[in-house]
Amino acid sequence: MAATSPNDLASFYSSAWGYHFLSYHVFKQFTKQDGKSKETLTNDVQGLLSLYEASHMRVRDEEILEEALTFTTTHLKSIHNDSLKVEVTEALSQPIRMTSPRVGARKYISIYENNDAHNYLLLKFAKLDFNMLQKLHQSDLTRWWKDLDYANKYPYARDRLVECYFWILGVYFEPTYSRARKKMTEIIQMASFFDDTFDAYATFDELVAFNNAIQR
């Protein structure tokens, strides 16, 4: 595979890594003989940022990407490019690999919107996609949660619906998995309910009977 910049290669690595193992040696062209990253990489801030993001895809003993992470982190912290400052700061705070996909998308939409070179139509479709999926996520929860009347029936228990649902969004955010999101949220919320029942509601004798019933 031929790549002309860290930006091109990092983007390819990040996208391909999830489907099959891709050797980190493809980044060797950006290192010197002593294994250190080439200083010339600092001339391409966008490429440096992409290399930083790709380095978070590394696994154990990938020395080139370990070095790339250290190198890019050090230099990105000293970036004063106003047009990329917000994006760099966000990346250093929370790399894409460590961000929930939809949260990352929301943050990037705002960053991209402030880029003078943004594509208006692309930005419009990105916002439309985000809002439509957000509406679906909201509809996943509304009816069954209201029917449970949870807050009135179990006032001692924490209402952790949004928190539990957010966990599942890290696994299933696509529209197709609406049923999976609802079922997994129900399970986690129920586990939280049991936890609060043990911690803040029932007596010891009641909990013994309750635990026996669950075990059966």
Side-chain angles (χ1 to χ4, degrees), residues 46-79:
Q46 191 65 62
L48 200 65
L49 183 59
S50 293
L51 184 57
Y52 166 80
E53 292 286 5
S55 69
H56 286 87
M57 305 293 290
R58 71 194 185 285
V59 295
R60 187 184 297 274
D61 297 328
E62 290 190 334
E63 297 90 352
I64 294 177
L65 288 179
E66 289 286 355
E67 158 61 21
L69 177 62
T70 302
F71 177 84
T72 55
T73 300
T74 299
H75 288 282
L76 286 172
K77 286 181 177 179
S78 63
I79 293 297

Side-chain angles (χ1 to χ4, degrees), residues 10-23 57 59 97 101 173-174 177:
S11 297
F12 176 80
Y13 183 82
S14 298
S15 61
W17 193 92
Y19 300 98
H20 63 274
F21 183 80
L22 180 66
S23 173
M57 305 293 290
V59 295
R97 181 67 175 168
F173 69 87
E174 299 90 340
Y177 300 115

Side-chain angles (χ1 to χ4, degrees), residues 29 101 128 178 196 215:
Q29 60 184 286
L128 181 62
S178 177
D196 289 341
Q215 294 300 329

